């Protein structure tokens, strides 16, 4: 069983922030900033691609709820939402989850580096699979 499933079952402790029938929110054990939360589905899905459409509304609601609570409760000035899908993208725990990272003015965290835009045939390649 994966570590997040163990947390959901209560076999491993966590800093629980919010829970409903579908979703659990808890503090990341290795936070990027204070109040860094993880929003997970109670069902085990590996990545975004496996999450059924009808579950996504509960995730979206929880993300909004947590973002608002972080802004009010921690006086955050903003927040980032991130999701790593597949190991190439940095996913370490293979139980789909969103990171909600409170941001504070002048916190020094950097965004991903951008590259120069190059015209290519990516549009065609991507659209083929929509
Ligand atoms: P990923 O790279 O898979 O998107 O991120 C996994 C996240 O889960 C990491 O930020 C890591 O700190 C967090 N994490 C891993 N194991 C545990 C744990 O046992 N408890 C908590 N609260 N967070 C964990
Ligand atoms: Zn799991």
């Amino acid at each position: 069983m994966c570590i997040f499933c163990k947390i959901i079952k209560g076999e491993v402790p966590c800093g629980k922030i919010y829970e409903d029938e579908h979703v659990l929110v808890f503090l990341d054990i290795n936070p990027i900033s204070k109040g860094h939360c993880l929003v997970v589905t109670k069902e085990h899905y590996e990545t975004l691609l496996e999450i059924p459409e009808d579950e996504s509304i509960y995730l979206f609601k929880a993300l909004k709820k947590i973002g608002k609570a972080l802004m009010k409760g921690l006086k955050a000035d903003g927040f980032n939402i991130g999701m790593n899908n597949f190991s190439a993208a940095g996913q370490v725990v293979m139980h789909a989850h969103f990171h909600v990272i409170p941001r504070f003015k002048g916190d020094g965290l950097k965004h991903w580096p951008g590259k120069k835009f190059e015209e290519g045939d990516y549009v065609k390649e991507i659209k083929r699979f929509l």
Side-chain angles (χ1 to χ4, degrees), residues 53-67:
E53 301 298 325
D54 56 359
E55 287 269 329
S56 55
I57 184 68
Y58 302 109
L59 285 165
F60 198 73
K61 280 184 176 171
L63 288 167
K64 283 179 70 172
K65 195 185 271 291
I66 295 308

Side-chain angles (χ1 to χ4, degrees), residues 2 4-5 8 41 43-46 91 93-97:
C2 91
F4 288 177
C5 281
I8 290 158
T41 51
E43 279 290 322
H44 179 96
Y45 305 110
E46 284 204 357
Q91 186 175 5
V93 178
M94 300 309 288
H95 180 131
H97 56 279

Side-chain angles (χ1 to χ4, degrees), residues 9-50:
K9 286 188 103 186
E11 291 174 5
V12 169
C14 71
K16 193 191 288 186
I17 300 286
Y18 171 77
E19 180 173 23
D20 63 30
E21 207 187 317
H22 302 269
V23 170
L24 179 69
V25 182
F26 54 95
L27 292 173
D28 194 299
I29 207 164
N30 190 22
I32 291 174
S33 64
K34 67 174 182 182
H36 176 171
C37 288
L38 299 173
V39 176
V40 309
T41 51
K42 285 195 167 174
E43 279 290 322
H44 179 96
Y45 305 110
E46 284 204 357
T47 72
L48 180 74
L49 302 187
E50 284 83 42

Side-chain angles (χ1 to χ4, degrees), residues 99-126:
H99 296 257
V100 187
I101 302 157
R103 297 298 302 273
F104 302 89
K105 278 181 194 142
D107 64 16
L109 290 173
K110 298 259 192 313
H111 286 289
W112 291 328
K115 287 186 179 158
K116 197 169 162 288
F117 178 78
E118 281 176 28
E119 209 59 67
D121 59 353
Y122 318 118
V123 173
K124 195 175 71 197
E125 292 303 312
I126 297 164

